Amino acid sequence: MRLHDKPEELAKVYQSLNKLDDVQNLSAAESAALKESALHNLAYPAEISQGQSGTCYAAAPERVLATAQPAHYINIINEAISTNRVTMNSANGPETKELNPTVLHQKDSSGRDIASRIFQTTFSEVGFGLKPPEQSPIAETYSTVDYSSGIYRNTKDGLGVLLKPDGTAQTYPGMDLMQVTDTLNRLSAPDHPGYKLSVAHDSDSLYSAFQANGEQPMISAVDRASGPFGGKSHTPGDSTNHVVTIGAMKPNASADGARYKTTFQMNGGAADDITTDDTKHMTNVTSNSNKGIKPTVIYISERS
């Protein structure tokens, strides 16, 4: 079990896991599967998967919470499925978000385990219900602030749908990293320092940020179809389209000028991870708002 060197945190994790024995609204078989999958996700967060769903924006934060706030991660899942609501942080203190019980219990063919399905559905319902801030936290990269908003519903195929207030379907673009950061902060433990959105223009800065984050997963976004991620040519300034976590960065100077090997956890399990050098990946994580002037890696890390 991970956390063997953190006995107090490990004790909290086991307390939270034991509470799953009394989880509500699930059959005995579902309860056993939930406890098993939750324990697996805590022990092996790199293997957390979005399956065939479009919830990369939720799978990456799930990995971050399972790594950095493991007991709280379990508590979110337990509260959501047992009470059809989740407690969130807000400027005015804790507040409760009502969740759709039918959506939480929607079995799908995405291939996700039950813990991830519940967490990612909860994250989606919370995130798509948020209003954007009036000002951008990093105006250099996000000159305008605009969230995808609507009523999220999981579907039998696991792809999900975003509804307008009148119940009609709308374009479901996922979430950008600003909205992901906001949602992650709403769902973090009250005593956690929270998360911030930052930008790095070179691999040295990104490596320094990864070290400052305790070498724990940092959320970022890539152009899934290009470079080491998909093979197509990436035009600097093209939009990123897949939220991932940076799981490792290792100094690795080579003749072609590369200084680091970076492992991207692509949300398909460990076998889907991609490790590449910085000369190949830097321009494939470029924000479209930067217009390709210089490499731009947007990332989410813990506040110090």
Side-chain angles (χ1 to χ4, degrees), residues 129-141:
L130 296 178
K131 295 181 179 180
E134 295 183 359
Q135 293 184 329
S136 169
I138 48 172
E140 169 195 4
T141 305

Side-chain angles (χ1 to χ4, degrees), residues 33-302:
L34 175 59
K35 191 169 186 178
E36 180 180 358
S37 60
L39 181 59
H40 180 88
N41 290 347
L42 292 184
Y44 305 101
E47 296 184 7
I48 288 174
S49 173
Q50 70 184 80
Q52 299 301 311
S53 71
T55 52
C56 60
Y57 58 82
E62 180 183 5
R63 184 175 304 110
V64 166
L65 282 178
T67 301
Q69 304 177 57
H72 185 65
Y73 165 70
I74 299 298
N75 293 340
I76 291 172
I77 295 171
N78 194 353
E79 181 186 18
I81 199 64
S82 294
T83 68
N84 302 318
R85 60 180 180 267
V86 66
T87 303
M88 308 189 308
N89 303 308
S90 76
N92 300 316
E95 63 180 39
T96 299
K97 166 76 173 178
E98 297 293 330
L99 304 171
N100 186 298
T102 302
V103 175
L104 279 175
H105 287 271
Q106 176 66 66
K107 297 178 182 179
D108 62 44
S109 57
S110 67
R112 295 174 292 183
D113 61 51
I114 186 171
S116 289
R117 192 189 78 214
I118 293 170
F119 179 89
Q120 292 171 27
T121 299
T122 300
F123 192 95
S124 298
E125 285 206 63
V126 169
F128 287 120
L130 296 178
K131 295 181 179 180
E134 295 183 359
Q135 293 184 329
S136 169
I138 48 172
E140 169 195 4
T141 305
Y142 287 95
S143 56
T144 59
V145 180
D146 186 24
Y147 282 4
S148 300
S149 62
I151 303 167
Y152 176 81
R153 295 290 180 260
N154 190 23
T155 51
K156 290 183 179 180
D157 59 9
L159 297 179
V161 64
L162 199 59
L163 303 177
K164 298 178 182 178
D166 63 5
T168 58
Q170 60 175 313
T171 302
Y172 172 32
M175 297 182 195
D176 67 24
L177 293 188
M178 188 184 302
Q179 191 168 2
V180 170
T181 307
D182 194 354
T183 310
L184 185 56
N185 281 324
R186 299 298 184 103
L187 290 175
S188 288
D191 59 353
H192 188 272
Y195 296 87
K196 61 181 179 180
L197 189 64
S198 304
V199 59
H201 292 305
D202 56 67
S203 52
D204 289 335
S205 298
L206 187 63
Y207 179 63
S208 294
F210 186 72
Q211 287 185 305
N213 200 53
E215 298 191 349
Q216 295 188 110
M218 293 197 315
I219 300 170
S220 189
V222 301
D223 181 356
R224 187 66 173 92
S226 71
F229 310 107
K232 295 182 180 179
S233 297
H234 177 92
T235 301
D238 281 354
S239 297
T240 55
N241 48 40
H242 187 54
V243 181
V244 300
T245 49
I246 297 172
M249 280 194 79
K250 303 289 185 184
N252 185 52
S254 63
D256 64 359
R259 293 171 56 79
Y260 302 95
K261 284 285 186 183
T262 305
T263 298
F264 292 87
Q265 296 163 324
M266 305 296 286
N267 306 324
D272 195 42
D273 291 354
I274 293 174
T275 299
T276 183
D277 66 57
D278 53 328
T279 60
K280 293 181 179 178
H281 84 247
M282 282 295 291
T283 57
N284 295 288
V285 289
T286 302
S287 164
N288 60 336
S289 61
N290 192 260
K291 304 303 181 186
I293 297 172
K294 50 189 172 182
T296 302
V297 180
I298 306 168
Y299 62 91
I300 302 170
S301 60
E302 282 193 353

